[in-house]
Structures are given as structure tokens and as C-alpha cells.
Amino acid sequence: MADIIQLNQEEIKSQLGDLVRQSVEDTLNAMLDAEADQITQAHRYERTEKRLDTRAGHYNRKLATKAGEVTLKVPKLRNLPFETAIIERYKRREESVEEALIEMYLAGVSVRRVEDISEALWGAKVSPGTISNLNQKAYSQIEDWRSRTLEVEYPYVYLDGIYLKKNWGGTIENIAILVALGVNSAGNREIIGAAEGGKEDKESWLKFLRSLKERGLSGVRLMIGDKCLGLVEAIREVFPNTEYQRCIVHFMRNVFCNVPRTRGKEIGAKLKAIFAQEDREACQRKAEEVAQFLRDNKMKSAANTLESGIQEA
């Protein structure tokens, strides 16, 4: 029986794809006809006193959808303009398709590869010019977001540098993306700034913090970051009345650098216990206790790092 009944998986997929694409096409065309009926106040070929206009045929237009490229029969009216709410005039792709193309490009997929993928997914190859136009659209939106005015106060601001790889003239380089995360008065977190910096030096942080201030960053009571000297100096210069606190996560990472990996979980629990104390005095006592434990277990470098952190606090 197994030899008699055989299934061609590729043919089934192709037929199912055609079925879905045809269903999408039929549905969109039916919606276009319904809109035309609503504008003219009459169905096609219907003669009533309420009729405002008559049909004058249609024109074909291609639209790339997630189900593939479909052909739309856009109605034409003799007198009234037909402006569909389903598909914007001159639009050729669904927004989801545009987003997919932009994401592929930003993820580092080559233009030629994007063309091949678009043809395989939607049955229509997207030209390099189209991809370029979409990217310009994305960059414009990103720039608008980066330069937006900060209209509310952010009492707490977290600052850090994230290192990403960038293709620059055919060579791959590590670049720092300086990021600011603000916490507003309601306790909600929001990315309030992101900028490319060559490295996390004082000049890069100065430029970044000044841009935040120019955009309206105010009401900052505390800034949190790692022990980057350039960052600390830049904060003192741009926001002199703002307190600075070393990030707990970075601090714990510095301690872990001097702890055997096999004892990481044990030491991690002890470090977390320090910050779980109810007041400053109890926190310092617990930190001294953990530092002594590290010394007794031959982790002197970790103990020294912990004690230096206690003194800074």
C-alpha cells in the first residue's frame, strides 16, 4: 500500500500556497467592490434613485502580500474619485512585507540575497532601488525617534555602552552604542537615547549627555552606570547636581571575575544577600561578612574588589 500511495510534498505545498494566495486575492477584490458599492450607493449594474455614480471598468494593480503577489482589480468610477481605505494609493506592498525587507537588510543580509528571498517568499523580486528607498524610510524614522523632545522628567537614568560589530569598508569593527534608559516619575522605563560612539571615552559620553540635555532631559536625581572614568567625569560636567551610583550588575561582574566558576552560584547568592538588607548599616555589615568569607576561602582578589565597592558606596 505504501508503494501505491505516494505524496509529493513539494506539489502539495505549491498547491496550498496557490490556494491561500487566491483566497487573499479574492477577498481583497471583494472588499474593493464593496467599497465601490458604498461610494456609488448601488451594486454593479443596479439602477436605483439613490445611485450617485456608475462603474467605468477597473484597472489591475500588483500587491505583494505575505501570501504572495496578488492582482487587484481596482474599480474605476465615471465621476467620483475612488480612494480605497483597504490599500493606500500607489502602495505596492503590505507593511509587514516592508518591515521584513528592512529587518533583513539591517540584520546584514546582502541586497542580492534580499532579492532572492523576496522572490521565494512572495513570488516577486524586489529591486535594489526599492530596498534602498525602504532603508531611507527606516533611517528617517530612527532619526526622528533619536532626536525627539523629552517632555517628562526622568529622576533615574541608567547609562551603558553596548558593543556591536559593524561592516566598515569591507572590514568588521567593534563599535560602542551609548544607551540611556530613563525611569520616569511613574516608575516606567523607557529608552531615551542611543548614539554611536567610537569608544566609551569622556568625549563620547560628553557629546551623548549634552544631546540628552538639549533634547530636554531634566529632573535627574541619580545616574547609574559602570565604573567607566570617562562616564563619571562627563556626568559631573554636564549634570553637576546629579548623584552617580555604580551599577550593581557591573559591580557583581567585577567580583565574579575573581571567583572560580565552580563556586559562582554560591558567591552570587551571598552577593545578592548584601543588597537585600533593610538599611545601609546592615548592608555594610553583610558586605564585610562576605568579604571575610572570600578571604577565608582564598579569594582575596574578589574580597578586595568587594571592599573597594563598599568604600565607594
Side-chain angles (χ1 to χ4, degrees):
M1 182 65 71
D3 294 333
I4 297 174
I5 302 175
Q6 294 183 353
L7 298 176
N8 189 324
Q9 297 290 342
E10 293 301 321
E11 184 175 348
I12 290 175
K13 289 180 180 178
S14 177
Q15 290 180 358
L16 287 175
D18 291 340
L19 181 62
V20 172
R21 184 164 52 252
Q22 188 62 51
S23 177
V24 170
E25 183 175 286
D26 292 343
T27 301
L28 290 175
N29 282 322
M31 294 172 71
L32 289 171
D33 276 333
E35 279 193 326
D37 292 344
Q38 185 177 8
I39 293 172
T40 60
Q41 294 293 302
H43 296 296
R44 186 182 298 178
Y45 308 122
E46 182 183 12
R47 296 180 180 276
T48 66
E49 293 181 357
K50 295 182 179 180
R51 188 177 66 182
L52 302 177
D53 203 352
T54 57
R55 302 287 189 97
H58 66 268
Y59 65 91
N60 292 338
R61 220 184 72 184
K62 300 292 186 181
L63 175 69
T65 72
K66 288 185 289 185
E69 188 176 67
V70 299
T71 301
L72 301 179
K73 296 179 179 180
V74 184
K76 293 194 295 184
L77 307 180
R78 296 193 184 281
N79 300 308
L80 297 176
F82 179 79
E83 295 184 358
T84 172
I86 300 170
I87 304 151
E88 297 173 8
R89 187 178 293 275
Y90 306 124
K91 191 171 181 180
R92 293 291 181 266
R93 289 167 302 277
E94 280 188 326
E95 288 186 2
S96 57
V97 175
E98 289 192 355
E99 291 171 358
L101 293 172
I102 293 172
E103 287 181 10
M104 279 190 283
Y105 183 81
L106 294 179
V109 181
S110 67
V111 173
R112 178 167 293 182
R113 186 63 179 148
V114 171
E115 293 179 49
D116 296 337
I117 294 173
S118 65
E119 186 174 27
L121 290 177
W122 305 298
K125 182 176 289 189
V126 179
S127 68
T130 298
I131 297 172
S132 177
N133 291 335
L134 288 175
N135 293 332
Q136 290 301 321
K137 176 182 175 181
Y139 294 145
S140 176
Q141 293 174 347
I142 292 171
E143 190 57 35
D144 289 343
W145 176 82
R146 289 178 54 191
S147 59
R148 73 193 187 281
T149 301
L150 301 176
E151 298 178 348
V152 300
E153 292 187 348
Y154 296 92
Y156 307 101
V157 177
Y158 292 82
L159 300 163
D160 198 8
I162 302 173
Y163 283 86
L164 302 175
K165 295 186 181 297
K166 178 179 179 180
N167 190 329
W168 187 266
T171 60
I172 305 298
E173 298 180 1
N174 288 326
I175 60 167
I177 305 297
L178 308 183
V179 180
L181 185 151
V183 181
N184 61 27
S185 301
N188 298 321
R189 294 178 294 178
E190 176 188 350
I191 300 294
I192 59 176
E196 180 180 327
K199 51 185 177 179
E200 289 188 83
D201 57 3
K202 180 180 178 181
E203 289 303 315
S204 297
W205 280 115
L206 275 174
K207 184 178 179 181
F208 182 53
L209 292 176
R210 285 169 179 162
S211 70
L212 291 174
K213 195 169 187 177
E214 290 170 0
R215 288 171 47 212
L217 179 59
S218 61
V220 184
R221 296 166 51 191
L222 179 68
M223 285 188 165
I224 304 97
D226 58 15
K227 199 179 179 181
C228 171
L229 183 59
L231 171 60
V232 178
E233 292 178 349
I235 291 174
R236 290 171 180 168
E237 186 170 329
V238 182
F239 293 93
N241 298 322
T242 299
E243 295 291 332
Y244 172 78
Q245 177 178 295
R246 187 177 179 186
C247 172
I248 294 175
V249 174
H250 285 89
F251 171 63
M252 292 179 67
R253 286 176 184 170
N254 294 146
V255 176
F256 279 129
C257 287
N258 300 294
V259 171
R261 183 170 297 182
T262 55
R263 305 195 65 177
K265 187 174 182 179
E266 174 191 5
I267 304 303
K270 292 183 177 296
L271 293 175
K272 289 180 180 178
I274 296 174
F275 302 103
Q277 303 303 307
E278 294 184 356
D279 53 48
R280 183 184 182 90
E281 289 72 20
C283 180
Q284 288 181 325
R285 287 196 300 270
K286 188 64 176 179
E288 291 170 358
E289 178 185 324
V290 175
Q292 187 59 50
F293 172 84
L294 293 173
R295 280 202 176 81
D296 293 342
N297 286 269
K298 300 180 180 180
M299 290 177 272
K300 185 176 180 181
S301 296
N304 292 337
T305 302
L306 177 57
E307 287 181 335
S308 67
I310 298 172
Q311 293 174 359
E312 289 178 9

